[in-house]
């Protein structure tokens, strides 16, 4: 799945992947039950470790991402598109093969996740959001079932608020996002050296998450 936008024009993200069936699941916006524990998602790369928390009020995206992390889907995928001052994008299964030309295109019939534009979730520095196909072919703004991006712009990318689902926030490793965004890249904004990731999750008490990482639950 490839983000298409003028490098200096800040046009809306437009991703090249085929329109596919929607991800089956619960109803967007349904209040989540309060739990004493949560999953911390750890994304390990050659540039360091990024840790994120997924939001309860985007339940479809949270469940989908955790399921993929649990099964090892993301292990060996790369951050295939990076733009300084904007974002880093990864999660495409195609990045596991030896053909860089198909990175970002996604796979046929891989499905989508219905948009979940929860109130208050903005494209702040370190926000985790779902990539998607452009509005011209995807007026419902359904998300890619696998590809995601992390906001690298320290001031945020708020022109995307309400248009792409934000479903998590970085709680550790903002400097790693910066490092990845500033790596040498080719004309397609693909890093010249593969930035592979492994993704795992650890369940811990929310009080401990707040103590370790300073993340405050509302």
């Amino acid at each position: 799945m490839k983000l298409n936008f003028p490098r200096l024009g800040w046009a809306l993200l437009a991703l090249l992947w085929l329109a596919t069936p929607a991800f089956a699941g619960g109803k967007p916006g349904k209040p989540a039950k309060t739990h004493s524990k949560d999953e911390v998602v750890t994304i390990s790369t050659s540039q360091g470790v990024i840790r994120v928390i997924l939001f309860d009020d985007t339940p479809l995206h949270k469940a989908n991402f955790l399921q993929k992390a649990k099964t090892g889907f993301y292990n060996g995928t790369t951050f295939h598109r990076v733009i300084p001052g904007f974002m880093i994008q990864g999660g495409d299964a195609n990045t596991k093969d030896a053909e860089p030309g198909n990175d970002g295109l996604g796979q046929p019939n891989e499905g989508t996740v219905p948009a979940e534009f929860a109130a208050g979730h903005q494209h702040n520095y370190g926000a985790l959001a779902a990539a998607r196909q452009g509005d011209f072919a995807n007026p419902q703004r359904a998300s890619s079932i696998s590809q995601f991006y992390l906001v690298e712009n320290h001031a945020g990318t708020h022109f995307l608020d309400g248009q792409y689902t934000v479903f998590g926030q970085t709680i550790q490793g903002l400097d790693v996002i910066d490092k990845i965004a500033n790596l040498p890249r080719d004309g397609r904004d693909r890093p010249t050296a593969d930035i592979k990731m492994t993704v795992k999750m650890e369940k811990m008490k929310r009080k401990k998450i707040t103590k370790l990482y300073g993340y405050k639950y509302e």
Side-chain angles (χ1 to χ4, degrees):
M1 184 176 307
K2 182 179 179 181
L3 300 171
N4 285 327
F5 47 83
R7 189 170 298 171
L8 298 178
W10 299 109
L12 296 181
L13 305 181
L15 307 179
L16 299 179
W17 48 282
L18 299 177
T20 50
F23 174 83
K27 296 180 179 180
K30 184 178 181 180
K33 294 181 180 180
T34 301
H35 300 287
S36 62
K37 294 185 177 182
D38 201 359
E39 291 88 355
V40 175
V41 177
T42 299
I43 303 172
S44 299
T45 76
S46 60
Q47 302 300 307
V49 170
I50 302 166
R51 288 189 172 90
V52 300
I53 286 292
L54 309 182
F55 300 142
D56 288 335
D57 54 0
T58 53
L60 302 183
H61 285 74
K62 181 171 185 174
N64 176 66
F65 195 94
L66 291 178
Q67 187 272 338
K68 281 183 162 44
K70 183 177 181 179
T71 61
F73 172 89
Y74 288 118
N75 296 341
T77 62
T78 74
F79 283 100
H80 63 270
R81 192 164 174 81
V82 304
I83 299 178
F86 190 24
M87 60 89 222
I88 61 174
Q89 182 183 348
D92 182 15
N94 290 344
T95 62
K96 294 183 180 182
D97 64 30
E99 174 50 59
N102 66 10
D103 290 0
L105 297 181
Q107 297 185 326
N109 303 315
E110 63 183 0
T112 58
V113 184
E116 294 179 295
F117 299 135
H121 295 333
Q122 299 180 330
H123 283 75
N124 299 321
Y125 179 31
L128 170 66
R132 67 172 176 84
Q133 192 177 23
D135 288 359
F136 61 94
N138 178 29
Q140 295 78 23
R141 296 176 173 173
S143 301
S144 164
I145 204 167
S146 65
Q147 293 191 52
F148 63 90
Y149 60 95
L150 292 159
V151 175
E152 194 270 333
N153 191 313
H154 291 206
T157 56
H158 296 294
F159 66 96
L160 298 176
D161 291 347
Q163 300 183 60
Y164 291 76
T165 298
V166 175
F167 65 100
Q169 178 63 40
T170 299
I171 58 174
Q172 186 182 60
L174 291 170
D175 59 322
V176 178
I177 297 175
D178 290 343
K179 289 178 183 178
I180 294 173
N182 287 282
L183 289 172
R185 64 195 195 281
D186 63 19
R188 298 173 60 240
D189 294 315
R190 183 184 187 279
T192 54
D194 287 349
I195 307 301
K196 295 184 179 181
M197 71 181 82
T198 58
V199 179
K200 66 178 182 179
M201 57 187 186
E202 178 184 4
K203 182 169 287 190
M204 64 176 65
K205 291 183 178 180
R206 297 191 177 204
K207 289 183 178 179
K208 184 176 181 180
I209 293 171
T210 298
K211 182 178 180 180
L212 288 177
Y213 305 112
Y215 180 76
K216 296 181 180 180
Y217 290 89
E218 296 183 359

